[in-house]
Amino acid sequence: MDARLDFGQTPTAEHGDVVRMVMAGLQLSAVFAGLSDIRLQEVADKVVQRQVEDGDVLCHQDDTAHTVWLVLDGWVKLTRETLDGSEAVWDVLGQGHIVGLETLTEPYRYTTRAVAAGDGCVFAIPHSILRKMVDSEPRFTKALLQNALRQQQDERLDMEHRTQQTAPQRIGCFLLRLAGTPDGGTIDMQLPFDKGLVAARLGMQPETFSRALAKLRAESGMEMTGSHVRMDVGRMSAYVCGACSGVYPCRGC
Amino acid sequence: MDARLDFGQTPTAEHGDVVRMVMAGLQLSAVFAGLSDIRLQEVADKVVQRQVEDGDVLCHQDDTAHTVWLVLDGWVKLTRETLDGSEAVWDVLGQGHIVGLETLTEPYRYTTRAVAAGDGCVFAIPHSILRKMVDSEPRFTKALLQNALRQQQDERLDMEHRTQQTAPQRIGCFLLRLAGTPDGGTIDMQLPFDKGLVAARLGMQPETFSRALAKLRAESGMEMTGSHVRMDVGRMSAYVCGACSGVYPCRGC
DNA sequence: CGAGGTGTTGAAAGTGCTCAAATGGCGTGG
DNA sequence: CCACGCCATTTGAGCACTTTCAACACCTCG
């Protein structure tokens, strides 16, 4: 399953190609984008690329961490077990997002379980190289700080939404953020993962999701067949953002 | 209201005392605790101590930031306006906590309003000196990062609680965290601020809080008269932590 | 065709919210 | 000292939304 990049085992030319590819992959995250080539290569040397299949577990909650992961392709869901054995989904991370950065501090333990949602590809990045970078490259630490602060803001927004938006609005907001383009007009797109996971990500039951979807269709004119979505951005945001835009325009709303 | 520390206006001896006092105050936060004396003094030179009264507004949501505040004494609540004009309380910060650190990144704007909850005392710390420290003192950036990550974990826990705990359990958890001591036995303590604010902090209405309190009394044997609380820590945590301790032992649970 | 996963629908129950009113403490002015 | 008014807290009743349990439709895969 793991595939150590075969540095030194292949001709130099190819080696260079691989390194360049890994470096490009790392730069998907703003955290690494600011590093100098030399530093970036230093990280790239320690990176292990890994293909993951649906359900593969990257890490377990409360385990001591030695690795973080950068999502290259596919989705990784962060979950926590509830006492009754069911799982609560914290977040679903896509390309360019990093799993497990919270382990750079004190308890050095993963606060969630990370599971592949569908097949995908990730970089495994050893803790050791990150700590080395933190200790020797202030710019990197700054980037991590910015990353953490930005993430914090996103999570606060999420929290606000959970308390202030109704279920249909939360779904609408999710779709708007997915769309990304605030230019208005009717757009088509695909749900990135199945409805059950979307529901969990939004903190609601599948049944609630289904019903809320029906209501959202009625209220906003959105259409959804299977994983295909068509909606009018303007109309959708009019329906959704009344509950929050006055406060803090979400990205994508 | 503002009281610029009068460096240079007082005899040297007294000046030294003031500086030492400010430095000690700064060290209430782990963010500053790791700085060398020289660096700490550099910050202390720029700090303005300020007495605040109940309702004083430190900053407005969405304003561009030039200052952060370190709470020395009293409580500062972070709020956001909801569309209907009412306010949602994000957090209530006490001694040693810093208001507005999120403004060190990109939008450079406060994401919440900060209002004094009761009389208190804060240090106003200019952005400029913080940025200077971030740029010149890697250890400081690391401390900020650790602070941000830790805070992130706390907020995630909060989020988990809001979705998985019932109202009485949330109150119980709040009390347990307030108590801090996980040694068991019956303890006495005081609510740090009024019930309305506790309710808001926990994301519930005052009426719900009141009712939940009644239930908590019945279920956990806790007593509360006015702001005085008496409870059996063991019994309380047995009632409260069933909803989360299996997952992630909260601090204080 | 049957099995299992995914998504939808129905009915009942739970939880917190809103609106409304009562209670109680506490400081001020008479 | 007492009456008054203000404010925090409590209580009551009804409502809205989400969840839960259950059943069913749909689709894909073997």
Side-chain angles (χ1 to χ4, degrees):
Chain A
M1 182 134 314
D2 282 6
R4 188 80 172 83
L5 288 175
D6 49 353
F7 296 114
Q9 300 181 359
T10 46
T12 312
E14 197 174 307
H15 175 178
D17 287 351
V18 172
V19 170
R20 230 168 295 133
M21 204 188 62
V22 172
M23 286 167 66
L26 286 173
Q27 286 179 312
L28 286 173
S29 167
V31 164
F32 295 107
L35 283 180
S36 67
D37 271 14
I38 296 166
R39 292 311 222 161
L40 196 59
Q41 186 170 341
E42 215 174 315
V43 177
D45 274 347
K46 304 295 185 186
V47 161
V48 177
Q49 186 168 352
R50 176 176 163 187
Q51 302 296 326
V52 295
E53 296 172 17
D54 184 49
D56 280 0
V57 177
L58 296 181
C59 62
H60 294 277
Q61 182 181 327
D62 295 331
D63 274 6
T64 297
H66 302 294
T67 313
V68 306
W69 291 269
L70 170 63
V71 181
L72 291 176
D73 186 47
W75 301 90
V76 174
K77 62 177 177 181
L78 307 181
T79 67
R80 303 185 80 163
E81 295 240 328
T82 62
L83 50 163
D84 56 4
S86 64
E87 65 176 17
V89 173
W90 273 116
D91 205 349
V92 182
L93 303 182
Q95 190 181 69
H97 289 263
I98 303 179
V99 178
L101 273 185
E102 78 276 9
T103 62
L104 284 178
T105 339
E106 199 78 330
Y108 307 114
R109 294 166 185 278
Y110 300 110
T111 53
T112 65
R113 192 161 57 136
V115 183
D119 300 345
C121 179
V122 300
F123 279 165
I125 307 172
H127 246 205
S128 53
I129 186 65
L130 290 182
R131 297 202 191 167
K132 184 177 172 187
M133 285 293 150
V134 167
D135 287 333
S136 63
E137 196 66 47
R139 214 185 315 169
F140 183 68
T141 313
K142 268 175 76 173
L144 284 175
L145 177 61
Q146 296 202 327
N147 183 72
L149 292 177
R150 173 166 299 276
Q151 206 172 317
Q152 190 179 45
Q153 289 177 38
D154 287 351
E155 286 175 10
R156 287 188 166 187
L157 193 58
D158 240 55
M159 177 102 133
E160 175 166 330
H161 285 171
R162 287 216 187 176
T163 53
Q164 307 210 292
Q165 292 180 328
T166 63
Q169 284 176 324
R170 282 220 293 290
I171 299 174
C173 186
F174 175 83
L175 295 177
L176 284 171
R177 292 209 239 182
L178 207 61
T181 57
D183 46 328
T186 299
I187 61 169
D188 290 84
M189 57 187 193
Q190 295 288 127
L191 284 182
F193 30 79
D194 66 69
K195 293 180 180 178
L197 185 51
V198 176
R201 171 66 185 83
L202 297 176
M204 61 183 86
Q205 302 301 313
E207 297 95 325
T208 303
F209 180 84
S210 183
R211 281 184 258 265
L213 210 52
K215 191 168 183 181
L216 186 61
R217 267 190 269 252
E219 303 276 355
S220 77
M222 174 219 54
E223 301 166 38
M224 185 184 290
T225 43
S227 67
H228 175 261
V229 182
R230 172 172 299 169
M231 66 177 181
D232 180 303
V233 174
R235 205 173 151 194
M236 180 61 83
S237 59
Y239 174 68
V240 166
C241 298
C244 65
S245 74
V247 185
Y248 186 72
C250 343
R251 294 185 210 155
C253 287
Chain B
M1 181 133 314
D2 282 5
R4 188 79 171 82
L5 288 177
D6 48 354
F7 297 113
Q9 300 180 1
T10 47
T12 312
E14 197 173 309
H15 175 178
D17 286 351
V18 172
V19 170
R20 230 168 295 129
M21 205 188 62
V22 173
M23 285 167 65
L26 286 173
Q27 286 179 313
L28 286 174
S29 166
V31 165
F32 295 106
L35 283 180
S36 67
D37 272 13
I38 296 166
R39 291 312 223 160
L40 195 59
Q41 186 169 340
E42 214 173 315
V43 177
D45 274 346
K46 303 295 185 186
V47 161
V48 177
Q49 185 167 352
R50 176 176 162 187
Q51 302 296 327
V52 295
E53 295 172 18
D54 184 50
D56 280 358
V57 177
L58 296 181
C59 63
H60 293 277
Q61 181 180 327
D62 296 331
D63 274 7
T64 297
H66 302 293
T67 314
V68 305
W69 291 269
L70 170 63
V71 181
L72 292 175
D73 186 47
W75 301 91
V76 174
K77 62 177 177 181
L78 308 181
T79 67
R80 302 185 78 164
E81 296 240 327
T82 62
L83 50 163
D84 56 4
S86 64
E87 65 177 16
V89 174
W90 273 115
D91 205 349
V92 182
L93 303 181
Q95 190 181 71
H97 288 264
I98 303 179
V99 177
L101 273 185
E102 78 276 10
T103 62
L104 285 178
T105 339
E106 198 79 328
Y108 307 114
R109 294 165 185 278
Y110 300 110
T111 53
T112 65
R113 193 161 57 138
V115 182
D119 299 346
C121 179
V122 300
F123 279 166
I125 307 172
H127 245 205
S128 52
I129 186 66
L130 290 182
R131 295 201 192 169
K132 184 178 172 186
M133 285 294 150
V134 167
D135 287 334
S136 62
E137 197 65 51
R139 216 187 314 169
F140 184 68
T141 313
K142 266 174 78 172
L144 285 175
L145 177 61
Q146 295 201 327
N147 183 73
L149 291 178
R150 173 167 300 276
Q151 206 173 317
Q152 190 179 45
Q153 288 177 40
D154 287 350
E155 287 176 10
R156 286 187 166 189
L157 194 58
D158 240 54
M159 176 100 135
E160 175 166 330
H161 286 171
R162 287 214 186 176
T163 53
Q164 307 211 293
Q165 291 180 328
T166 63
Q169 285 176 323
R170 281 221 292 290
I171 298 174
C173 187
F174 176 83
L175 295 176
L176 284 171
R177 291 209 238 182
L178 208 59
T181 59
D183 46 328
T186 299
I187 61 168
D188 290 85
M189 56 186 193
Q190 295 289 125
L191 285 182
F193 30 78
D194 67 70
K195 294 181 180 177
L197 185 52
V198 176
R201 171 66 184 83
L202 297 176
M204 60 183 88
Q205 301 301 313
E207 297 96 326
T208 302
F209 181 84
S210 182
R211 278 184 258 265
L213 210 51
K215 192 168 183 180
L216 185 61
R217 267 190 269 252
E219 304 275 354
S220 77
M222 174 222 52
E223 300 165 40
M224 185 184 291
T225 42
S227 67
H228 175 260
V229 182
R230 172 173 299 171
M231 66 178 180
D232 180 302
V233 174
R235 206 174 151 196
M236 180 61 83
S237 59
Y239 175 67
V240 166
C241 298
C244 66
S245 74
V247 184
Y248 187 72
C250 342
R251 294 183 211 159
C253 287

